[in-house]
Amino acid sequence: MKIATNSPFHLTYCTNIHPGESWVEVFDNLEKYIPELKSRLSPQAPFGIGLRLADIAAKQLLENDNLAKFQAWLNQEDLYVFTLNGFPYGGFHHQIVKDQVYVPDWSTQERLKYTLNLTKILAALLPEELDGGISTLPLSYKPWWGDDQATWDIVLKNSCFHIASVVAEMVRIQNYTGKLLHIDLEPEPDGLIENTAEVIDFYENWLLPIAGSYLAQKLNIEQSLAESKLLEHVRICYDTCHCSVEYEQPETVFTRLQSAGIKIGKIQISAAIQVKIPADVEQRRLIVERLQPFAESTYLHQVIERRSDDKLYHYPDLITALPYLEKSLAEEWRTHFHVPIFIRDYQILQSTQDDIVTILDLLQKNNACHHLEIETYTWDVLPSEMKIDVLTSIQREYEWVLKNFVSN
């Protein structure tokens, strides 16, 4: 939905909050939730969808006339799709996901084929006046590769070749239809690119020279033109939770990316858990007790602690981090757990909601990105005290964004 009639900003929520991997399950969820949300939030205007498709759902949607039927349903209900979530390839609910969310990574043919299917789907569904993005993983998962630089180089190089292949298809689509599509790499803690410095390093030392050379040969164009097409079609998905866990300041991120010529394709609006760590041992034990319900077994919940010298220390998951909190040298912990964005304080814990407010303010001054997607996919695994029914929770998140965007 447009945030205001004359506004360039489109707001949606990511349907990865709803369990379901097959196209039948995905469409059942869309029919169940989307028209009702539209009636509550945008009854007189078109309502956008942030569509998450697993590999199996994408393949099934491309079979027979399923895509045409889906487009007809969108038109009938006054709905449109402008962004896809192409990060999780397979199962994402009711099973142990953890680091398997990175499988297959960008070094593999499976990831390439999956993203090409998503590209075909988005090209068909995207309204002509909009650009469209596919958010995707930050290449791979760092802990898999350790300090083996030779293996890192292979993963990075193959990732560049595969990304360039998707860009070549996006260039072809734009030439044929006029529609601009982009891949939106999503940095997150322990991803192969997890912060702004690593994003810029990847673009400057890998994507532009290596993918640029490959794309130039594939399209028979000059290297400089290939690099400009990569900068147009490979963007960043700025997840506010992930950047907050990395202790990155939104204004600094925007400035550094823009200085490097890197565009933001999508802002995922999400909040992390943060907590100041007191010196008192009993208070620390109470924090451990309050964090324990968030140390669940489905998703990775990376923790980054900030110490008094501002150095950052990483833990791969909250469940493995908690035993260290009592004697930690940290002044603050931030945890990758997407909590409802309308909650600022939860018992003695807080969220990084303030960073979202800062982002909403920056966007109106900076014009860095027009696609906003609420992404609180953890509803199923939230502590029971934080849960309300899922439809009401999604509605409240929309209303919180709209209120804070307008007030800024």
Side-chain angles (χ1 to χ4, degrees), residues 107-287:
S107 69
T108 66
Q109 282 287 324
E110 290 81 4
R111 176 62 59 172
L112 169 61
K113 292 174 183 176
Y114 167 52
T115 309
L116 285 172
N117 281 340
L118 295 180
T119 300
K120 186 175 183 178
I121 290 166
L122 185 57
L125 298 178
L126 184 69
E128 290 185 4
E129 69 275 11
L130 297 180
D131 64 285
I134 303 168
S135 54
T136 188
L137 70 162
L139 307 181
S140 189
Y141 183 56
K142 253 183 208 161
W144 288 344
W145 310 114
D147 297 322
D148 185 351
Q149 190 59 50
T151 304
W152 275 56
D153 289 353
I154 293 170
V155 171
L156 287 164
K157 188 172 290 186
N158 286 339
S159 296
C160 286
F161 294 153
H162 294 150
I163 289 171
S165 295
V166 176
V167 170
E169 177 61 13
M170 289 180 168
V171 169
R172 188 197 67 79
I173 288 169
Q174 187 174 21
N175 290 339
Y176 183 72
T177 68
K179 294 182 179 181
L180 171 60
L181 307 183
H182 39 88
I183 306 168
D184 302 330
L185 300 172
E186 185 179 335
E188 76 167 30
D190 289 339
L192 205 54
I193 49 174
E194 67 171 279
N195 55 41
T196 305
E198 292 180 357
V199 166
I200 293 171
D201 178 75
F202 171 68
Y203 270 74
E204 292 181 347
N205 296 309
W206 293 94
L207 184 70
L208 296 182
I210 294 173
S213 175
Y214 184 83
L215 186 64
Q217 293 178 32
K218 199 171 181 69
L219 298 181
N220 194 26
I221 58 177
E222 294 293 324
Q223 173 84 14
S224 59
L225 181 56
E227 291 181 8
S228 70
K229 290 189 178 299
L230 285 166
L231 288 170
E232 186 70 4
H233 293 281
V234 184
R235 305 186 182 188
I236 294 302
C237 173
Y238 184 122
D239 186 297
T240 57
C241 168
H242 301 170
C243 290
S244 294
V245 173
E246 295 279 349
Y247 296 84
E248 295 208 281
Q249 297 301 314
E251 191 164 11
T252 302
V253 174
F254 276 35
T255 300
R256 293 187 67 189
L257 290 178
Q258 288 173 332
S259 296
I262 300 170
K263 295 182 178 181
I264 299 173
K266 174 163 67 176
I267 304 284
Q268 280 186 330
I269 301 174
S270 54
I273 300 170
Q274 69 174 9
V275 61
K276 303 293 184 183
I277 309 298
D280 182 75
V281 173
E282 288 303 318
Q283 288 182 316
R284 287 183 175 220
R285 288 173 181 163
L286 183 58
I287 291 171

Side-chain angles (χ1 to χ4, degrees), residues 26-152:
V26 170
F27 188 60
D28 282 349
N29 283 323
L30 296 178
E31 286 190 305
K32 179 177 181 179
Y33 293 107
I34 300 295
E36 177 61 26
L37 282 168
K38 182 184 186 303
S39 72
R40 298 183 187 188
L41 296 164
S42 184
Q44 304 303 321
F47 189 71
I49 299 175
L51 185 62
R52 185 257 159 166
L53 296 172
D55 178 62
I56 184 64
K59 289 174 178 175
Q60 291 168 344
L61 183 53
L62 289 170
E63 291 174 352
N64 303 317
D65 60 349
N66 288 340
L67 190 56
K69 288 180 177 178
F70 181 44
Q71 182 65 76
W73 180 78
L74 293 171
N75 294 337
Q76 173 188 313
E77 299 293 335
D78 199 18
L79 305 169
Y80 62 102
V81 173
F82 65 95
T83 184
L84 301 183
N85 186 329
F87 194 135
Y89 176 95
F92 196 59
H93 288 276
H94 304 157
Q95 64 187 77
I96 297 174
V97 180
K98 297 296 183 180
D99 63 347
Q100 294 304 294
V101 76
Y102 291 93
V103 176
D105 68 13
W106 266 106
S107 69
T108 66
Q109 282 287 324
E110 290 81 4
R111 176 62 59 172
L112 169 61
K113 292 174 183 176
Y114 167 52
T115 309
L116 285 172
N117 281 340
L118 295 180
T119 300
K120 186 175 183 178
I121 290 166
L122 185 57
L125 298 178
L126 184 69
E128 290 185 4
E129 69 275 11
L130 297 180
D131 64 285
I134 303 168
S135 54
T136 188
L137 70 162
L139 307 181
S140 189
Y141 183 56
K142 253 183 208 161
W144 288 344
W145 310 114
D147 297 322
D148 185 351
Q149 190 59 50
T151 304
W152 275 56

